[in-house]
Amino acid sequence: MGNHLFDAIRAGVDPHATFIEKPDGTVITYAEALALSGQLAAALVSLGVQPDDRVAVQVEKSPEALMLYLACVRAGAIYLPLNTGYTLAELDYFIGDAEPALVVVTPETEAGIMPIATAKAAKVATLDDRGGGSLMALAQSQDPDFADRARLADDLAAILYTSGTTGRSKGAMLSHDNLLSNALTLKEYWRFSARDRLIHALPIFHTHGLFVASNVTMLSGASMAFLPKFDADQVVRLLPSSTVLMGVPTFYVRLLQHPGLTREQVSSMRLFVSGSAPLLAETHRQFETVTGHAILERYGMTETNMNTSNPYDGDRIAGTVGFPLPGVSLRVADPETGAVLAAGETGMIEVKGPNVFKGYWRMPEKTAAEFRADGYFITGDLGLIDARGYVQIVGRGKDLIISGGYNIYPKEVETEIDQMDGVVESAVIGVSHPDFGEGVTAVVVKKPGAAVTEETIISALQDRLAKYKQPKRVVFVDDLPRNTMGKVQKNSLRQTYADLYQADGSA
Ligand code: MLC
Ligand code: AMP
């Protein structure tokens, strides 16, 4: 019995080929990557990590961090990546909920995480972005020839926390085959081969940068220019020696503002992929005018990996997310009754297939509530299938903001603001933002005479919420608009503040 995901990766690569090129030009071959991931897997085992144990990881992006993901897969552990922006208050929740055997953090976070990890009997190790830290030190003394632990298709490979459709962050349980089947499908659909070089500028703690970008690259034996984060100058510089870019819409908005983006600069590129948030049709058109390339937009979720994609050959239509991927069944249903709707009608997007997750970690009722009796997962996205079969996402049935490709659950921000002195209540909404797509915006009712201001609210959130969840603006009102049922009318607030970021140009 083998290791379902890792065997497929190992089988697809040429050990002598380049896997990763760092910004300083240093190259890591597949052989080196396999050896280091083997040493890290052995280090995990020596720290007592057992099959199915969670390994929670909050570290800066680096090739070693990616090897740690592979190491967890090889050691039969469940990889649990965490956004580097999360505060200790947020980490406390994730660690309490997931109960990892090991928490890997940066040396800077070690002291802060210690009491949180200790309270849950988790060990702590460190990894920095220069290949140092206690975990790396331990790995260096291990045998690179690690005997991979046996893992079946349905065994869990990862848990990714997501704000999901409702409630607190939930851990989406992803199996070896959820990841492998989707990456193999994308490899075929997007025509990946060992000749490709991907510009990897996404974070590696989410589905897009970790599974879509990295798994597809590895399963193709391709290489990637691995950037610590998105930087328009660096991406433009890498374009002439690369073939593919994957990004969130903000990448494309920023690239279009760069004078170096020209047809000549992209002459070796064959594919630009966008996803994680809606790409404005205007961005799609402008990009095609400047580069001659139609961005390929696809649609996915943490819970489902990728569901749909515009075609590789054929029309990539702006404002659509293309067709269901091979093996994925997608339908549009009445959100209340679940009745399947005809083409052209708008309703809830539901999906089924080998890509769909195994449920939310330790939340069987929540899991059951998000699936139909016939196994379709209720995405929370509203959309339609047009006459040509293209899927269009027209809105969200879930109260969710997507800013620069990161999801923010408004209730979490509202709960923090509502607890502050001088605040009666708040409503947090997403408002059109030129750079981030949507800007997190708090509409607050304060107590008469209270000294609370925009600055005091934002500064009180610093240690509580990751930066990307914090409101870009706070506005004060006398009352929140409500319907006859007493529910806050967020649509009306979104209309009122529609021009907030356009008008003052603030970030
Ligand atoms: C950074 N900031 C953000 C932000 N990213 N604020 C709101 N939304 C974001 N996404 C904050 C910074 O902390 C900073 O605050 C200020 O905004 C400006 O920062 P910046 O330097 O301009 O931002 P930058 O670091 O360049 O990051 C922007 C970004 C990044 C778009 C490059 O957010 C990013 O890489 N996003 C990708 C997210 C992603 O991978 N999503 C995939 C999820 S998977 P200050 O005050 O310090 O200046 C998924 C499934 C699927 O959704 O379908 O793929
Ligand atoms: P996450 O929970 O971070 O995985 O985000 C998943 C959500 O991102 C989906 O449910 C959609 O609402 C949104 N999303 C992903 N890709 C697209 C896209 N191409 N267009 C519009 N929304 C998208």
Side-chain angles (χ1 to χ4, degrees):
M1 193 168 65
N3 182 295
H4 190 71
L5 174 58
F6 194 74
D7 285 355
I9 292 174
R10 191 198 289 275
V13 305
D14 168 3
H16 305 294
T18 296
F19 174 27
I20 286 176
E21 189 182 326
K22 297 205 263 185
D24 66 4
T26 320
V27 160
I28 299 172
T29 63
Y30 272 102
E32 287 163 340
L34 295 184
L36 179 55
S37 66
Q39 287 179 305
L40 281 164
L44 296 178
V45 171
S46 78
L47 287 168
V49 172
Q50 301 290 327
D52 289 326
D53 275 352
R54 277 74 58 212
V55 175
V57 179
Q58 190 200 39
V59 298
E60 295 300 330
K61 183 176 174 184
S62 70
E64 291 76 14
L66 190 62
M67 298 314 126
L68 179 55
Y69 153 61
L70 292 181
C72 288
V73 171
R74 298 181 67 176
I78 302 173
Y79 186 63
L80 196 168
L82 294 162
N83 192 317
T84 47
Y86 288 149
T87 61
L88 286 173
E90 291 167 303
L91 293 177
D92 190 35
Y93 169 74
F94 295 120
I95 291 174
D97 191 56
E99 298 188 315
L102 177 68
V103 184
V104 184
V105 292
T106 59
E108 295 75 39
T109 314
E110 189 179 14
I113 205 76
M114 213 44 115
I116 295 172
T118 311
K120 287 286 164 189
K123 289 187 178 162
V124 175
T126 61
L127 179 65
D128 68 28
D129 57 359
R130 297 171 307 283
S134 66
L135 187 66
M136 285 297 289
L138 181 60
Q140 267 138 26
S141 61
Q142 308 291 322
D143 184 353
D145 205 8
F146 179 76
D148 301 332
R149 281 181 170 153
R151 291 278 92 181
L152 297 172
D154 276 344
D155 286 330
L156 295 188
I159 293 180
L160 268 62
Y161 276 83
T162 166
S163 33
T165 48
T166 50
R168 284 209 84 161
S169 269
K170 301 185 283 282
M173 300 189 288
L174 294 152
S175 71
H176 274 236
D177 201 54
N178 288 152
L179 304 183
L180 179 59
S181 64
N182 205 240
L184 289 174
T185 300
L186 295 174
K187 176 189 159 193
E188 294 296 314
Y189 209 76
W190 295 342
R191 311 269 171 86
F192 261 75
S193 78
R195 290 185 302 283
D196 275 310
R197 183 165 115 123
L198 173 83
I199 304 176
H200 194 306
L202 288 159
I204 53 168
F205 43 71
H206 277 314
T207 295
H208 199 165
L210 184 62
F211 302 138
V212 183
S214 306
N215 281 348
V216 170
T217 299
M218 290 188 282
L219 285 162
S220 312
S223 64
M224 51 192 179
F226 207 62
L227 298 178
K229 58 176 289 220
F230 177 81
D231 176 296
D233 286 334
Q234 281 185 303
V235 170
V236 167
R237 188 176 53 75
L238 288 164
L239 286 169
S241 56
S242 305
T243 62
V244 184
L245 174 70
M246 293 186 193
V248 295
T250 302
F251 284 22
Y252 295 102
V253 169
R254 292 185 182 182
L255 284 174
L256 279 167
Q257 290 160 3
H258 197 288
L261 184 77
T262 61
R263 270 180 198 246
E264 298 69 49
Q265 197 72 4
V266 302
S267 60
S268 71
M269 292 291 289
R270 66 171 186 89
L271 182 62
F272 291 90
V273 178
S274 178
S276 309
L279 181 76
L280 290 181
E282 184 54 22
T283 309
H284 193 278
R285 272 192 287 273
Q286 280 181 16
F287 200 84
E288 190 160 11
T289 305
V290 174
T291 66
H293 280 271
I295 297 172
L296 182 152
E297 186 169 8
R298 92 311 179 266
Y299 157 61
M301 282 181 81
T302 302
E303 289 93 332
T304 63
N305 295 284
M306 299 304 102
N307 295 312
T308 72
S309 171
N310 268 279
Y312 190 80
D313 297 318
D315 294 340
R316 299 178 191 162
I317 300 185
T320 82
V321 292
F323 306 112
L325 286 164
V328 176
S329 305
L330 183 147
R331 67 189 184 192
V332 174
D334 182 304
E336 306 303 327
T337 65
V340 178
L341 300 176
E345 288 190 72
T346 298
M348 178 63 72
I349 298 178
E350 302 183 352
V351 295
K352 189 175 174 178
N355 53 317
V356 177
F357 74 138
K358 299 291 164 196
Y360 295 112
W361 170 252
R362 290 184 181 162
M363 289 184 178
E365 296 83 15
K366 286 226 163 66
T367 303
E370 311 273 336
F371 281 89
R372 299 282 181 205
D374 59 359
Y376 276 79
F377 174 63
I378 305 165
T379 62
D381 292 310
L382 300 174
L384 58 84
I385 302 173
D386 72 15
R388 292 178 63 189
Y390 285 79
V391 177
Q392 292 176 24
I393 298 175
V394 297
R396 289 175 211 133
K398 49 195 175 190
D399 191 14
L400 185 71
I401 301 169
I402 306 184
S403 168
Y406 288 141
N407 288 7
I408 297 105
Y409 176 57
K411 185 92 181 93
E412 187 184 0
V413 188
E414 288 161 4
T415 304
E416 291 291 344
I417 296 176
D418 292 352
Q419 285 166 6
M420 292 178 192
D421 283 344
V423 169
V424 178
E425 61 174 347
S426 65
V428 169
I429 53 171
V431 171
S432 172
H433 189 287
D435 187 34
F436 291 120
E438 290 180 283
V440 177
T441 307
V443 185
V444 176
V445 180
K446 60 179 166 184
K447 291 183 182 146
V452 32
T453 65
E454 179 164 26
E455 289 72 31
T456 59
I457 289 189
I458 292 178
S459 79
L461 292 172
Q462 295 308 313
D463 293 336
R464 304 290 308 163
L465 295 176
K467 183 86 204 173
Y468 72 89
K469 297 181 190 171
Q470 295 173 20
K472 300 273 179 219
R473 291 292 311 273
V474 178
V475 291
F476 293 96
V477 293
D478 292 337
D479 295 293
L480 294 175
R482 292 182 188 278
N483 65 15
T484 47
M485 308 291 288
K487 195 169 182 289
V488 175
Q489 291 176 302
K490 290 199 167 177
N491 269 341
S492 147
L493 287 174
R494 279 189 280 266
Q495 273 167 19
T496 306
Y497 297 105
D499 293 331
L500 192 63
Y501 299 101
Q502 264 66 23
D504 66 7
S506 86

